[in-house]
């Protein structure tokens, strides 16, 4: 695995983290509607998403295009794992099966 594939993989983890931050913000009560959009979680999540956009764009210039979307699908797996540990969400049997199918697909495709 070269450095650019690692950048794609790390960007996937950061992308999942930004989605969890947005969900964390959405679960909270805010003083007014403007604070729903202008709080540290939302601003940080969008800053991370912006950084992920540039890092994946950079990595796509050096990585075979067929691997990028496959690595990016792991975002769903990371969101489920982060939600379980950080937000204490329980996942359903369907979510677990779906994520296992994603992992199996990634492994089959990359082997």
């Amino acid at each position: 695995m070269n450095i650019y594939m690692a950048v794609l993989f790390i960007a996937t983890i950061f992308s999942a983290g930004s989605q969890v931050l947005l969900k964390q913000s959405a679960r909270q009560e805010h003083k007014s509607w403007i604070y729903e959009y202008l709080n540290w979680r939302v601003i940080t999540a969008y800053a991370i998403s912006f950084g992920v956009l540039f890092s994946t764009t950079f990595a796509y210039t050096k990585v075979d295009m067929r691997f990028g979307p496959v690595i990016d699908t792991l975002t769903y797996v990371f969101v489920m794992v982060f939600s379980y540990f950080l937000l204490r969400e329980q996942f359903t049997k369907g979510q677990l099966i779906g994520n296992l199918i994603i992992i199996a697909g990634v492994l089959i495709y990359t082997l």
Side-chain angles (χ1 to χ4, degrees):
M1 184 164 91
N2 63 26
I3 188 74
Y4 302 104
M5 298 245 328
V7 168
L8 281 176
F9 186 76
I10 292 168
T12 301
I13 294 170
F14 275 97
S15 179
S18 72
Q19 291 178 37
V20 170
L21 272 176
L22 286 172
K23 187 165 189 176
Q24 204 174 38
S25 177
R27 294 171 109 191
Q28 293 182 335
E29 289 290 324
H30 299 282
K31 293 183 232 178
S32 71
W33 68 270
I34 194 73
Y35 289 108
E36 291 179 20
Y37 304 100
L38 295 178
N39 63 66
W40 74 268
R41 285 182 178 89
V42 171
I43 293 168
T44 303
Y46 281 115
I48 291 170
S49 294
F50 191 69
V52 165
L53 173 70
F54 280 107
S55 63
T56 54
T57 302
F58 173 71
Y60 269 127
T61 62
K62 306 292 183 186
V63 172
D64 189 0
M65 290 295 286
R66 64 188 176 117
F67 290 114
V70 174
I71 293 171
D72 195 40
T73 59
L74 292 174
T75 302
Y76 297 108
V77 176
F78 293 133
V79 167
M80 186 183 78
V81 170
F82 291 168
S83 294
Y84 179 78
F85 287 109
L86 299 175
L87 302 177
R88 305 287 184 230
E89 288 184 353
Q90 298 299 316
F91 45 85
T92 65
K93 185 177 174 183
Q95 289 172 324
L96 183 61
I97 290 170
N99 279 286
L100 289 174
I101 291 170
I102 290 171
I103 293 168
V106 168
L107 290 175
I108 290 169
Y109 187 80
T110 55
L111 293 179

